[in-house]
């Protein structure tokens, strides 16, 4: 059997692509991946707690809706209701990352999407149909492919950083910055690029103070964004420093950072309740083994403006794997829709 569309990836881009492809009667097959270090099925959203900026999900009793929409045998995947988020005796909170992607997955399943819980390790593009090769399943022949494998945030790589993920350590200020544990508290942002200064500026509206920790004494960020951050009275740069250890305990989560000078190796402890790591992202393209063109930052290069075409006709890209700029759940979902429409039109033009 030759598939019409294979979708690789199970974040907002992948499920949106599947929903559109399924509704176009293309009977999509989604490879949703298996858990890997720093990468899990459902994408980066699965690392996020509450998602307050996804349109259509204002704070409310989202749990009642989610439990009515998601198949009962997958309820065990749903994270607990956040503590203390109650109104009139019922849960009252913004949809959590895992809940949001589980809803998207359910929507794709409802329209007949088939799912393989396996990792794609290669695509044979030497002939058509393409062959999608996965770790544990036979190769799948397909006329089109939508690559929606996302990107993963780079972390410093300390075991103590891992310990406090979701309890003080985050890689997304826009996603997590407004959570109660960060409000009116001293916070740290690590990095010196546009993302770091942007996150610091964003957090300065919520925090009592933001330390911008950079390993050199000069920022990499664009001049205008540097000036904005450095003239902000709430942002204090901490030059020539790296994070040596995240400090805290199981009850309070992160409480301080041990900083190490890159000049003389001396250390000091900086009390903060949050550390936002903004030291770049890595797109998940290794499995393509260089077969699709990438841009100078390693993200898949889209070959046509405002389209999801890649360097190989019939292979489309959606979401963060081809986006080093917006990186939001809503933009990924939008591009997943675009990729499915592009695949549908490409198939029609080629008589399928
Ligand atoms: P980036 O430009 O690659 O900057 C990464 C920063 O992290 C650098 O300052 C780097 O230090 C530091 N860093 C890297 N590894 C580190 C480590 N292990 N420990 C400590 N520090 C480390 O990444 P980005 O800021 O995410 O930006 C990515 C792209 O998106 C850029 O092209 C940027 O212009 C764009 N962007 C644009 C906007 C905007 O225009 N609004 C916003 C965000 C991002 P060094 O400087 O010493 O190398």
């Amino acid at each position: 059997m030759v598939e019409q569309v294979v979708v690789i990836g199970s974040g907002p881009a992948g499920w949106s692509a599947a929903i559109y492809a399924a509704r176009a009667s293309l009977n999509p097959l989604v490879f949703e991946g298996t858990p890997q270090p720093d990468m899990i099925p459902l994408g980066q959203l699965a690392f996020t707690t509450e998602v307050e900026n996804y349109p259509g999900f204002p704070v409310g009793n989202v749990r009642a809706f989610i439990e009515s929409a998601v198949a009962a045998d997958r309820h065990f995947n749903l994270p607990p209701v956040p503590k203390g988020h109650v109104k009139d005796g019922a849960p009252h909170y913004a949809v959590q990352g895992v809940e949001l992607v589980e809803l998207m997955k359910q929507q794709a399943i409802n329209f007949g999407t088939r799912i393989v819980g396996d990792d794609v390790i290669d695509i044979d593009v030497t002939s058509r149909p393409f062959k999608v090769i996965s770790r544990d399943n036979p190769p799948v022949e397909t006329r089109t492919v939508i690559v929606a494998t996302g990107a993963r945030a780079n972390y410093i790589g300390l075991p103590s950083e891992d310990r406090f993920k979701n309890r003080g350590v985050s890689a997304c200020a826009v996603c997590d910055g407004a959570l109660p544990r960060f409000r009116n508290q001293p916070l740290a942002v690590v990095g010196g690029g546009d993302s770091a200064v942007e996150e610091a500026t964003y957090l300065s509206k919520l925090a009592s103070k933001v330390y911008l920790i950079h390993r050199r004494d000069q920022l990499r960020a664009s001049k205008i964004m540097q000036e904005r951050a450095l003239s902000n009275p709430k942002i204090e740069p901490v030059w020539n420093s790296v994070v040596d250890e995240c400090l805290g305990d199981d009850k309070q989560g992160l409480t301080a950072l041990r900083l190490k000078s890159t000049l003389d190796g001396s250390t000091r402890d900086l009390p903060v309740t949050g550390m936002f790591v903004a030291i770049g992202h890595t797109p998940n393209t290794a499995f393509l083994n260089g077969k699709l063109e990438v841009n100078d930052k390693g993200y898949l290069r889209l070959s046509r403006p405002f389209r999801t075409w890649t360097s190989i006709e019939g292979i489309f890209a959606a979401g963060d794997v081809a986006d080093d700029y917006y990186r939001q759940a809503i933009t990924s979902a939008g591009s997943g829709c675009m990729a499915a429409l592009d695949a549908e039109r490409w198939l029609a033009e080629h008589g399928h």
Side-chain angles (χ1 to χ4, degrees):
M1 171 184 172
V2 177
E3 301 288 343
Q4 300 283 50
V5 184
V6 164
V7 178
I8 310 172
S10 52
W15 295 123
S16 299
I19 292 165
Y20 271 76
R23 287 171 57 84
S25 302
L26 296 174
N27 195 20
L29 181 72
V30 173
F31 279 88
E32 76 168 351
T34 61
Q36 306 285 323
D38 273 340
M39 204 165 50
I40 51 179
L42 308 182
Q44 290 207 96
L45 262 192
F47 291 116
T48 309
T49 48
E50 286 178 79
V51 182
E52 293 179 323
N53 54 8
Y54 197 91
F57 287 90
V59 171
N61 187 354
V62 288
R63 193 57 166 228
F65 165 61
I66 290 162
E67 286 186 357
S68 70
V70 172
D73 62 357
R74 288 215 321 285
H75 284 188
F76 74 92
N77 274 342
L78 300 175
V81 170
K83 281 204 182 88
H85 290 50
V86 173
K87 191 176 175 191
D88 301 330
H92 190 79
Y93 64 98
V95 67
Q96 300 178 88
V98 170
E99 294 172 326
L100 184 56
V101 207
E102 280 288 349
L103 286 167
M104 296 177 186
K105 177 174 175 175
Q106 184 68 52
Q107 208 167 346
I109 291 170
N110 291 352
F111 293 113
T113 299
R114 293 158 301 141
I115 299 169
V116 184
D118 197 0
D119 297 308
V120 173
I121 52 173
D122 202 1
I123 306 178
D124 181 351
V125 296
T126 53
S127 59
R128 289 172 191 264
F130 304 120
K131 276 196 199 70
V132 175
I133 298 152
S134 63
R135 211 183 295 283
D136 297 324
N137 284 271
V140 171
E141 290 194 314
T142 182
R143 296 201 167 91
T144 66
V145 176
I146 295 174
V147 179
T149 44
R152 54 186 184 279
N154 297 337
Y155 282 89
I156 300 164
L158 301 166
S160 57
E161 174 191 45
D162 223 27
R163 179 177 167 208
F164 295 115
K165 274 184 193 161
N166 271 337
R167 285 183 305 152
V169 172
S170 165
C172 180
V174 180
C175 318
D176 297 333
L179 296 176
R181 71 164 291 122
F182 300 126
R183 279 195 185 262
N184 300 314
Q185 299 293 328
L187 305 176
V189 174
V190 182
D194 280 330
S195 295
V197 296
E198 192 172 65
E199 301 236 317
T201 304
Y202 177 83
L203 290 170
S204 70
K205 294 170 196 146
L206 308 163
S208 59
K209 171 122 205 152
V210 181
Y211 298 100
L212 183 57
I213 299 165
H214 187 34
R215 60 186 177 185
R216 298 185 289 134
D217 63 356
Q218 235 177 2
L219 295 172
R220 175 183 294 278
S222 56
K223 268 271 165 304
I224 186 162
M225 290 177 68
Q226 283 193 35
E227 280 163 12
R228 196 174 301 148
L230 296 177
S231 65
N232 184 326
K234 275 200 185 169
I235 299 177
E236 182 180 324
V238 181
W239 301 119
N240 302 309
S241 298
V242 291
V243 176
D244 202 34
E245 195 76 56
C246 298
L247 308 171
D249 55 49
D250 287 346
K251 191 158 168 261
Q252 298 178 80
L254 183 79
T255 55
L257 298 177
R258 178 152 304 144
L259 302 183
K260 187 171 168 184
S261 164
T262 52
L263 299 179
D264 60 15
S266 60
T267 60
R268 70 178 172 109
D269 292 354
L270 181 72
V272 290
T273 64
M275 173 176 87
F276 291 82
V277 185
I279 59 173
H281 283 73
T282 302
N284 299 316
T285 56
F287 75 97
L288 292 165
N289 301 308
K291 287 170 192 165
L292 294 179
E293 283 177 24
V294 296
N295 68 16
D296 55 355
K297 293 169 193 153
Y299 289 75
L300 291 187
R301 190 178 73 76
L302 299 180
S303 60
R304 299 183 172 200
F306 304 108
R307 298 286 183 270
T308 61
W309 290 45
T310 66
S311 54
I312 296 182
E313 263 205 37
I315 303 186
F316 304 90
D320 289 7
V321 74
D323 173 16
D324 59 44
Y325 190 76
Y326 295 107
R327 297 194 298 241
Q328 300 298 302
I330 185 67
T331 50
S332 290
S335 71
C337 153
M338 291 161 66
L341 294 176
D342 286 345
E344 182 188 357
R345 284 170 194 166
W346 190 88
L347 285 164
E349 279 164 21
H350 289 80
H352 303 298

